[in-house]
Amino acid sequence: MFYSLCRNVVFVALLCAPAMLCSAKTESDKGIEFFEKKIRPVLVTQCYKCHSAKSTKVKGGLLVDSREGLFKGGDSGPAIVPKQPQRSRLLKAVSYTDPDLQMPPKNKLSAQQIKDLETWIKMGAPDPRRATLSTSPAPLSTNLWSLKPISKPALPKVRNTSWAKTPVDQFILAKLEEKNLTPVAVANKRTLIRRATYDLIGLPPTPEEIDAFLKDKSPDAFEHVVDRLLASPHYGERWGRHWLDLVRYADTSGCNSDFPVPSAYRYRNYVIDSFNSDKPYAHFIEEQIAGDLLPSKTVEERNEHIIATGYLAISRRFGSRAQEMHLTLEDTIDNLGKTMLGLSVGCARCHDHKFDP
């Protein structure tokens, strides 16, 4: 049942953007993510009816559908004072501490929702929304890198034409020269094998491997080193862990009890083996999302496809209540968007169009 639910919503998510990996989060990113996950849904469902630009009558002169509206406040003053929850009227209203100021008037927010609002205000009330006169969906931005078509740009001109050995080198050198920087000197063989070995398998080269490379005077000596490292099982262990970090692999469930998942290692080994076998990326993704639906020629291949869906099985759990499964589904989709797509699909919680400005 869990596989089916995850797979269906994940397929919808995959329609939203091209495949790319996500970047590291800044503190600002974390603040915006907290707002989108915890705060905006509450404002939309509990406040917009009476306090948004679309309200037939804005009560108390307060608009909460933009950052400016919250900070400006209504007839009684600012609704939010960043980093000062005790001075924020919005928090006072939802906490029901004043019998004359209780919002929403009919149903008090849950204790967790009130705590989230307090946490958000302490963070400085990060809010990406801006007031706008138009409520229609924003036009698609052609400047967003993940939405641009793949192209083959012309090679940039460089001054040191002898340094670049490949087209990629030429782009690197162009940026260096733009900053008036010069490349470092060419590494000697001992340094080169050390760098390559650490990069590809995460371990230092042995003295015997170093000696063999130093004695090899053939023009393709380094190529042989790289081929040997790529053929090592340690290569998948080294580079597979980057993928496991992105999908947040763990040997436990991640919920309150955080109980062990004894079979989780099978998915870990699947990832390692996929890197070592140089599996095509598209197939790698397909197996993890829908492996149990893919055709297979052998029992072994069928088992591998099912183990690949461990990506869904090890999704983060929330609490111990049955009604919280929707949070697991939502979090899985959010992780898929950031790991495998160029866009997060978290905006779909509150918007019925794909792209925001």
Side-chain angles (χ1 to χ4, degrees), residues 2-3 25 32 46 58 124 168 181 184 193 221 226 255 282 301 335:
F2 176 69
Y3 284 150
K25 295 179 185 175
I32 297 302
Q46 303 295 329
V58 178
V168 174
L181 300 173
V184 297
I193 188 174
V226 173
C255 65
E301 185 180 23
N335 176 258

Side-chain angles (χ1 to χ4, degrees), residues 113-125:
Q113 289 172 325
I114 296 172
K115 182 179 179 181
D116 289 339
L117 282 167
E118 182 178 5
T119 300
W120 174 61
I121 295 171
K122 288 179 179 179
M123 296 167 71

Side-chain angles (χ1 to χ4, degrees), residues 20-331:
M20 288 299 292
L21 295 180
C22 65
S23 57
K25 295 179 185 175
T26 63
E27 287 303 315
S28 175
D29 293 333
K30 293 177 181 178
I32 297 302
E33 181 178 19
F34 186 87
F35 172 82
E36 296 293 358
K37 282 189 173 183
K38 304 289 188 179
I39 307 304
R40 193 198 287 255
V42 174
L43 296 177
V44 171
T45 58
Q46 303 295 329
C47 309
Y48 274 23
K49 183 178 180 180
C50 302
H51 299 285
S52 74
K54 291 184 178 181
S55 302
T56 54
K57 182 180 179 181
V58 178
K59 294 185 178 181
L62 173 63
L63 293 173
V64 302
D65 55 350
S66 70
R67 182 176 184 271
E68 292 83 356
L70 275 172
F71 281 31
K72 179 182 178 182
D75 301 338
S76 302
I80 293 291
V81 180
K83 298 186 178 182
Q84 298 185 51
Q86 70 279 6
R87 295 182 55 196
S88 298
R89 290 182 62 81
L90 177 65
L91 187 62
K92 182 179 180 181
V94 300
S95 300
Y96 279 38
T97 55
D98 184 343
D100 297 323
L101 182 63
Q102 296 181 348
M103 294 292 166
K106 295 183 179 179
N107 298 299
K108 184 180 179 181
L109 299 182
S110 70
Q112 185 60 54
Q113 289 172 325
I114 296 172
K115 182 179 179 181
D116 289 339
L117 282 167
E118 182 178 5
T119 300
W120 174 61
I121 295 171
K122 288 179 179 179
M123 296 167 71
D127 186 347
R129 303 171 304 158
R130 294 295 181 268
T132 176
L133 297 177
S134 173
T135 57
S136 60
L140 175 62
S141 172
T142 56
N143 292 324
L144 190 59
W145 64 267
S146 62
L147 302 179
K148 291 181 179 179
I150 297 175
S151 62
K152 188 175 182 180
L155 295 179
K157 294 183 178 179
V158 294
R159 295 190 296 270
N160 185 6
T161 55
S162 62
W163 183 83
K165 305 299 181 184
T166 69
V168 174
D169 291 342
Q170 205 153 327
F171 283 96
I172 295 173
L173 182 59
K175 276 297 179 182
L176 288 173
E177 291 183 346
E178 181 184 309
K179 305 294 183 181
N180 294 319
L181 300 173
T182 56
V184 297
V186 175
N188 59 41
K189 294 186 72 173
R190 185 181 295 273
T191 301
L192 190 59
I193 188 174
R194 185 174 177 83
R195 288 177 180 173
T197 308
Y198 267 118
D199 283 347
L200 292 178
I201 67 171
L203 299 168
T206 65
E208 294 76 17
E209 290 168 346
I210 295 174
D211 291 340
F213 181 51
L214 294 176
K215 293 175 182 177
D216 190 345
K217 305 301 181 183
S218 62
D220 53 359
F222 186 59
E223 184 177 337
H224 291 157
V225 169
V226 173
D227 287 342
R228 172 178 58 77
L229 294 172
L230 291 176
S232 168
H234 298 310
Y235 168 74
E237 296 165 358
R238 160 72 167 165
W239 284 91
R241 67 180 298 178
H242 295 306
W243 183 260
L244 293 173
D245 285 343
L246 288 171
V247 301
R248 302 173 305 181
Y249 171 80
D251 291 316
T252 56
S253 65
C255 65
N256 290 347
S257 55
D258 203 31
F259 56 84
V261 181
S263 59
Y265 76 94
R266 297 180 187 276
Y267 173 72
R268 177 201 65 199
N269 291 352
Y270 159 81
V271 171
I272 293 172
D273 292 341
S274 295
F275 274 80
N276 281 332
S277 64
D278 199 21
K279 181 175 293 182
Y281 179 70
H283 195 49
F284 180 59
I285 296 299
E286 189 178 34
E287 288 179 341
Q288 293 175 75
I289 297 172
D292 56 326
L293 299 180
L294 296 178
S296 53
K297 298 178 180 179
T298 65
V299 174
E300 290 74 17
E301 185 180 23
R302 170 69 175 162
N303 290 340
E304 181 184 9
H305 288 170
I306 293 176
I307 290 171
T309 62
Y311 165 67
L312 302 176
I314 63 171
S315 297
R316 180 183 175 193
R317 300 301 197 269
F318 287 82
S320 307
R321 307 172 197 164
Q323 64 266 32
E324 290 184 334
M325 177 56 73
H326 69 283
L327 296 176
T328 294
L329 298 176
E330 173 206 330
D331 192 69

